[in-house]
Amino acid sequence: MWNSLAYRLWRAAYLRAVSSAFATVPLYRETWALHGRTDPVLVPGKTGSNGGALPADEVRRRLVDTAPLAGGSTEPDPARGLAFLLTRATQRPSHRLVVVVDAEVTRPPTGLPRGSRGCVLHPDAAASAGDEPVLREIVDTLRRGERVLAVGEDKNLDALSSALPAELPPPDRVPHHRIDRLTGGPFGLLHDPLLGYLGVLRDCGRWHVDRRRVHVRETTGGLAFTVLERTSPRLVDVLVGGGVPGEVHACPQHASPVIQT
Amino acid sequence: MNVEIIDPRVDPEPTGWADFVNDRRLHPVWRHPLIRLEAWTARNPPLLAVVREHGRVVGGLQAMVCRSWSTGRFGPAATRRPARLRPRWAEVYLPLHSGYPAAAFHSGVDVRGAIREFERSLVHRVGPGLLGVLYRAMTDDLADAMSGPQRPHRVIDPAAVLHPPATVDEWRAGLGTDVRATVDAIDADPEVRTDVGAGRDDLDASELAALLNAHRARQDARAWAGGQRSRFAGLHLDTRSPVSPAYLDALLRRPNVLTRTYRTPTGRLLGFSTMITDRGTAAFHHWAAVSRVDGGRPGLHRHAYAQAVAQAIDLGSTELTAGRAMLDEKAALGFRDTRQLHTVAAPRPLLGDRRGPQAVHRETPRDTTGHIHRNRAGSVT
């Protein structure tokens, strides 16, 4: 791994998240105290399994234990992190309307740039082409000549495009992919329904992790992701996609962490 | 007599401890593996004090070392050098079995001497920051041994006790019509499925722990709104921690713990109870249910208590206890006896002081009962 200041800060943020989770969050306290973990080791003599990382299914089953003792939300936000990755994903500063077409995403993305609005559209509603308010809003926005960005799985984006009137310009689209179904682009976002948006495919052709908000490390169980920015639900060392083997490198072009599965 | 204080998180089980627990027929909360699980997942983790006489274990105490009432952090890692100057206090208390004292001794032991030796050892272990020791939920004899001059003492909510009659019919005959009707209605309700067993390993402890913690939070809020007795100077003082799934899982697997679950035909958990099925003193241990506003079935607790009583009668238990809350409701279920419980506070300067309560009258003419809660009466010193 590279040895830059950025990497050391990234690593320090991860260590703080681990320390905080061990001290305040029941799920990690129980798991790491009783079974152990590595990198960092918190209880000497115990290494646990998969370096202390937990499968996403297990974390989802025990979401109630991911809130800190002091209290907090236990509801995951599948749209978390989207706003910060859009610029790099689309190479445009903003869009008037950002539509997430995904059954798992029920709340619009937050933190979009000024002038942008976010909304969600269930794939069934996109396919039915009925009198759906979100569809009407998309059509109106496109008719005004403003840009619309659709985010979702390829098949859902196709359904949305076919539901729109043919005379309108198509919306911009960025497909998002699960970690076990990464493609070669040219655009794409790395998404997990529990952790939210984790990374982006950049112009170098590599999958970049959102290093300000997400940490990733290699474990024997696969790549383990940590959401650094959100403290409740606290998601630390989660094996997304059932645990996908991979490696973490530094991008030679951008000097930021990239994953290779 | 000497006292060895261990941290159950990192120290191995003391020699002879399991034999002591067996001999005294102590409940599972005294088992070292369970104390260890509880300690790792507690905000204020307990220490285990083992009292030995000529090398033989003759007593034990569990003392939570508390840093704050409102901390949102688990106990500091056991491997760190403890902050010996930081103000802390100890509570000799079983937070998950609050109707029983966190001190147990063989008969014939000089309990007063053991307690004072424990206090000296605790001061040595915790350091200058120890402010004092609070002995909570102590029985009459233990409270007497812990009392002394300048040690505030008060009576707290008693534990509900039932001395099981010879037959279930005899017990049912003493119940009100509405209680019997509720129990019978749940027995006949096809929307409520119940299963029961001891030493269960087929349950999802996470699901049960989530329900139990939600139930406790609801009860605490209700007790707080009703002016609970643990209120002090208008503050909400609670040193307990949520029950962890790991602890509950280990508890349910014990062969003398009977677990009963209530579910809908679709499998949704409505409630569950645990019962410690000792022939001597059986205990209705945990109870949790989905609230009515969330779709819970009213009256399940009555059914669970009824089943516990029937089980105690089958076992031939001499008594069945049922905790310290909702005494009126428990009285309607036949728990008409109570066991008096006391809290004694030992401030730091008096720790290790061997003088007994009789010294109060000799040395201080004023009332030294010094109620811990000023708005409560009932001191017995």
Side-chain angles (χ1 to χ4, degrees), chain A residues 19-26 29-30 33-34 42-44 46 58 61-62 64-65 68-70, chain B residues 9 36-37 39-43 71-77 79-80 204 206 210 242 244-246:
Chain A
S19 171
S20 164
F22 186 64
T24 64
V25 183
R29 179 66 168 201
E30 182 184 313
L34 303 181
L42 296 173
V43 180
K46 297 177 182 177
E58 169 77 5
R61 193 174 64 82
R62 295 191 54 187
V64 69
D65 290 326
L69 282 176
Chain B
R9 292 180 294 179
R36 176 176 156 270
L37 289 171
W40 267 122
T41 54
R43 294 189 302 153
T71 180
R73 301 175 76 84
F74 291 105
T79 51
R80 282 191 192 165
D204 178 0
S206 305
S244 73

Side-chain angles (χ1 to χ4, degrees), chain B residues 361-375:
Chain B
H361 307 296
R362 286 200 305 271
E363 296 175 12
T364 53
R366 65 187 175 84
D367 176 11
T368 56
T369 53
H371 308 297
I372 298 169
H373 295 228
R374 292 175 196 164
N375 59 343

Side-chain angles (χ1 to χ4, degrees), chain A residues 75-237:
Chain A
E75 190 178 352
D77 180 8
R80 186 211 57 79
L82 175 62
F84 311 105
L85 296 171
L86 283 180
T87 305
R88 283 189 172 145
T90 62
Q91 298 180 344
R92 286 187 178 279
S94 68
H95 291 76
R96 174 61 72 188
L97 188 63
V98 177
V99 188
V100 183
V101 192
D102 193 299
E104 302 270 3
V105 182
T106 55
R107 287 183 302 179
T110 56
L112 294 171
R114 184 189 296 264
S116 291
R117 283 170 295 141
C119 58
V120 294
L121 182 64
H122 195 280
D124 294 344
S128 66
D131 189 24
E132 170 66 36
V134 173
L135 278 178
R136 281 207 309 273
E137 183 61 28
I138 294 170
V139 169
D140 290 347
T141 307
L142 290 172
R143 284 210 170 110
R144 290 196 299 268
E146 295 171 326
R147 302 198 78 94
V148 173
L149 174 66
V151 179
E153 291 185 14
D154 275 319
K155 63 178 182 186
N156 295 333
L157 298 182
D158 292 342
L160 173 62
S161 296
S162 59
L164 296 173
E167 70 274 14
L168 290 175
D172 296 341
R173 50 188 282 171
V174 176
H176 66 213
H177 306 281
R178 305 284 175 90
I179 191 169
D180 52 349
R181 284 172 250 157
L182 292 182
T183 64
F187 300 105
L189 290 162
L190 174 59
H191 182 243
D192 180 79
L194 179 63
L195 279 74
Y197 289 88
L198 303 170
V200 61
L201 185 66
R202 290 184 68 176
D203 52 359
C204 59
R206 298 180 182 88
W207 285 95
H208 284 249
V209 177
D210 180 7
R211 74 177 180 196
R212 291 183 188 277
R213 295 160 199 88
V214 175
H215 182 274
V216 60
R217 72 175 179 122
E218 300 168 13
T219 71
T220 51
L223 292 174
F225 288 83
T226 297
V227 176
L228 299 172
E229 60 163 351
R230 197 168 179 205
T231 55
S232 187
R234 185 57 111 164
L235 301 168
V236 181
D237 279 338

